[in-house]
């Protein structure tokens, strides 16, 4: 069911090893893949996703200012409430053209629950059971549902508090995230 609930000791060890790997790559210039160490994709939109009935959907990154990784589980009542607020904000943000993409990272109880959930979603989903699910979970230390992690299209972290931003500000949260991106430039 939910294989991502690791002990805190194991998660801490994993985080240290990933930090060590990144430091080695920066200091030596050795490719992390050559070392046999997992590294996240550079672009969040680089993979193929499931979108409705389409099994190999690839989002178009043109015009996308921010990407939300929506960690959800449809068995969670909080998830269902937030999902409706997120849909409203998503549709409002993208009214004049696609600037915000959401990617559903499923922690549903089973394949049939996941398939039922994504039929009404206006955004793509990582296919149920894919290894990227636990990789993203480890990367962002997700411990509750729903969680919305906001990233630049290249995968750089903008905010771990997308859930709170959407609940408080709705579609106006996008301008807050864009301001954070511009501050970093």
């Amino acid at each position: 069911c939910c294989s991502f609930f690791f002990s805190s000791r194991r998660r801490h060890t994993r985080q240290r090893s990933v930090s060590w790997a990144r430091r080695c790559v920066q200091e030596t210039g050795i490719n992390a893949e050559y070392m046999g160490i997992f590294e996240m994709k550079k672009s969040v939109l680089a993979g193929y996703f499931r979108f409705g009935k389409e099994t190999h959907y690839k989002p178009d990154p043109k015009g996308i200012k921010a990407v939300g990784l929506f960690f959800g589980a449809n068995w969670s009542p909080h998830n269902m409430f937030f999902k409706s607020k997120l849909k409203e904000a998503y549709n409002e943000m993208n009214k004049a053209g696609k600037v915000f993409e959401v990617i559903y990272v499923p922690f549903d109880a089973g394949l049939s629950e996941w398939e039922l959930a994504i039929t009404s979603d206006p955004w793509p989903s990582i296919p149920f059971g894919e290894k990227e699910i636990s990789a993203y979970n480890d990367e962002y230390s997700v411990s509750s549902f729903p969680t919305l992690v906001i990233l630049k299209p290249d995968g750089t972290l903008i905010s771990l508090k997308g859930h709170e931003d959407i609940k408080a500000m709705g579609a106006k949260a996008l301008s807050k995230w864009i301001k954070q991106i511009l501050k970093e430039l």
Side-chain angles (χ1 to χ4, degrees):
C1 170
C2 298
S3 61
F4 70 95
F5 289 107
F6 299 112
S7 70
S8 59
R9 184 175 185 168
R10 184 173 174 192
R11 180 179 293 142
H12 181 68
T13 302
R14 166 96 173 116
Q15 288 171 340
R16 280 195 331 213
S17 65
V18 170
S19 297
W20 173 83
R22 286 190 179 127
R23 207 169 42 251
C24 286
V25 169
Q26 289 169 350
E27 291 173 4
T28 64
I30 296 173
N31 185 340
E33 293 169 349
Y34 175 77
M35 294 170 61
I37 297 168
F38 175 79
E39 280 289 309
M40 296 296 290
K41 290 179 186 173
K42 293 290 181 215
S43 173
V44 185
L45 301 174
Y48 288 98
F49 303 96
R50 171 90 181 263
F51 186 52
K53 301 245 184 239
E54 192 175 341
T55 57
H56 282 74
Y57 173 77
K58 187 161 180 72
D60 184 9
K62 290 179 189 163
I64 301 291
K65 306 282 188 234
V67 177
L69 292 179
F70 173 33
F71 295 83
N74 286 295
W75 45 262
S76 166
H78 299 292
N79 185 81
M80 301 313 288
F81 176 73
F82 175 70
K83 193 175 192 180
S84 65
K85 291 192 89 53
L86 181 58
K87 278 184 186 178
E88 287 175 25
Y90 177 84
N91 290 332
E92 181 68 27
M93 288 176 194
N94 294 319
K95 203 182 273 185
K98 193 114 185 201
V99 293
F100 179 58
E101 183 64 273
V102 171
I103 297 172
Y104 182 58
V105 184
F107 285 93
D108 297 309
L111 180 63
S112 59
E113 184 179 294
W114 169 72
E115 286 179 335
L116 181 65
I118 66 167
T119 56
S120 64
D121 290 348
W123 47 71
S125 172
I126 295 175
F128 183 81
E130 289 291 315
K131 64 184 176 204
E132 286 88 1
I133 296 169
S134 60
Y136 282 131
N137 179 66
D138 288 347
E139 181 76 10
Y140 302 110
S141 302
V142 175
S143 61
S144 64
F145 303 115
T147 296
L148 184 64
V149 175
I150 307 300
L151 308 168
K152 292 182 192 176
D154 69 0
T156 307
L157 180 67
I158 297 173
S159 174
L160 293 171
K161 299 181 185 272
H163 171 251
E164 290 86 359
D165 292 344
I166 291 291
K167 280 176 56 179
M169 303 166 62
K172 293 177 182 171
L174 180 65
S175 51
K176 175 185 174 183
W177 302 328
I178 291 173
K179 286 178 187 173
Q180 287 175 321
I181 292 170
L182 294 175
K183 278 183 192 176
E184 295 174 12
L185 297 178

